[in-house]
Amino acid sequence: MAFDRRTFLGTTAATGAAVALAGATSTPAAAQQQEVGAPAPRTYSFTVMGTTDLHGNVFNWDYFTDKEFDDKAHNDVGLAKISTLVNQVRAEKGRRNTLLIDAGDTIQGTQLSYYYAKVDPITARRGPVHPMAQAMNAIGYDAAALGNHEFNYGIPVLRKFEEQCDFPLLGANALDAKTLRPAFAPYSMHRLRTPCGRDVKVAVLGLTNPGIAIWDKANVQGKMTFPGLEEQAAKYVPKLRSMGADVVIVSAHSGSSGTSSYGDQLPHIENAAGLVAEQVPGIDAILVGHAHTEIPEYRVKNKATGKDVVLSEPLKWGQRLTLFDFELTWVKGRWSVAKVAAKVLNSNTVAEDPKITGLLSDEHRKVVAYVNQVIGTSTQAMSSADGPVKDVAIIDLINHVQAETVKAALAGTEWAALPVLSQASCFSRTAAIPAGQVTIKDAAGLYPFENTMEARLLTGAQLKDYLEYSARYFVRTAPGDAVDPAKLTNAESIPDYNYDAVYGLAYDIDIAQPAGSRITGLTFQGKAVDPAARFVFAVNNYRASGGGNFPHVPQAKQLWSNSDEIRNTIIQWVKAKGTIDPAQFASVDWRLTRAGVPVF
């Protein structure tokens, strides 16, 4: 892609920080006299609100189903709901006693965000303003950390989004690959005016995910590098304190578990927020992102100071809003944090803010019209509901399109004679293709991620290892034990997108056996797979770059790659074929068993 070095390095990299002022009067916490005649201690309270993993959600709307969002817990999504919660908190606390920050993954995830990156891109000459920038500006965000999905559409889109935001995008560990200087503002500093003593200076340090170097290698290699969160926090927190910060908050697009999904491919931890709290002194609170989990309040004791650091992660897509409530006391000529507490508010308790829905109603209508375009027909209905436990036609469709695309790409090459296999996951348990007319939203709903496709060279033995690793997803269940499909999957908290079915092979998964010894009857075209045989493997770039830490693929020889999203490849395939007929590609080639007896 074209790369504008001047835009890339930008002024934010040169200055290394963004400064925001939130001033004027405020309402302090009530001061209480501890003894008769003793002066009341000077105190001040303020609240930092936080969101994360918004993933392009403005409206409480599911563009893949073209109806209001709903799930089993009846959660709601979107910035329009968050705006209402933010307005309530500001009304209660006083507008100038609050800050609002985000922990990343903002501009990817819905057809709304896709449309303004690809269909009507914000990078076009006289292009539109990104809906997420419009909404977040209108709500009044003070700062946002970079998420790994910010890089999915390339650096030019990210830079344009940054330019459109009225608040800084922070990434202390997103460095220019050549100079090793910050490519984005590492931190922002905010002043809160108090009625007693000097202003409170609140520093927000932004940290992003080192996995970007793997997951978006095509977009960032040679341009940016991403060191570990702990080392960059250790560098910047003392600097922020020396600059007079009374409170230091970290906004980290990194989970709290201390684990990584990319194994040892990088010397850095993916989910390092808890380690940052434990290892780096001087942090008061961390807004956690990336893991898509809900953590109202989690306390980690810092090893050096013995003090608690309060962590909180609001649920994804704008389903929750974190509140960090700070109580400060004026001690020996400076403000000192006396207490920090965190909680989350549920966005399903409020209505959407009409200011936000009205602001973006035109954009919403355009995207709804786009996703409802008819691109073909299907001879029968297909559903992903059983996809995690059964070989279903709708997952075969993804794999068939991928395998066909790779075969066509390798035609005439030295690899053309090798058999092509494919991997796919059940990305959404609610994806469906209806009988009759098929629209963009139907096809796009099969693949909600912006993954692209590659072809890698694997052996039969490596594929067996790959399948064994994938089969860890199932809960070990002894023969004769009752089987509840709802409790059979996601062992070890493995998400659905990290369970792969491999298309082109036949095999059984014996869930009575321990992980690592489950694949039986592995065949190709009716014959046992030769461990030395070579296969072309159609695989998404997330898996190829180490996502999920699957074996062999990241090190395997790359035979071909494509920059087009798999979702678009599926849409174009349906348009070209005109008709989806499962009889032409679907078959039951894998099944769950126990001691040779099928589970279903």
Side-chain angles (χ1 to χ4, degrees), residues 49-87:
M49 298 173 281
T51 55
T52 191
D53 296 280
L54 293 168
H55 284 288
N57 285 281
V58 174
F59 297 85
N60 186 40
W61 196 259
D62 185 345
Y63 293 96
F64 294 125
T65 60
D66 196 25
K67 59 185 180 182
E68 185 174 319
F69 177 88
D70 195 22
D71 62 13
K72 290 180 180 178
H74 301 299
N75 288 300
D76 287 347
V77 301
L79 276 170
K81 291 267 185 172
I82 290 295
S83 183
T84 301
L85 291 176
V86 167
N87 290 339

Side-chain angles (χ1 to χ4, degrees), residues 425-441:
S425 304
C426 181
F427 296 111
S428 168
R429 298 193 185 201
T430 59
I433 296 291
Q437 289 187 335
V438 177
T439 63
I440 283 178
K441 74 173 185 292

Side-chain angles (χ1 to χ4, degrees), residues 140-175:
Y141 273 77
D142 294 288
L146 293 163
N148 53 285
H149 284 289
E150 259 64 84
F151 294 84
N152 285 173
Y153 297 119
I155 291 172
V157 169
L158 174 54
R159 285 299 186 194
K160 188 64 178 180
F161 175 70
E162 179 189 29
E163 177 187 315
Q164 294 176 343
C165 291
D166 294 340
F167 52 91
L169 300 184
L170 308 178
N173 61 328
L175 309 181

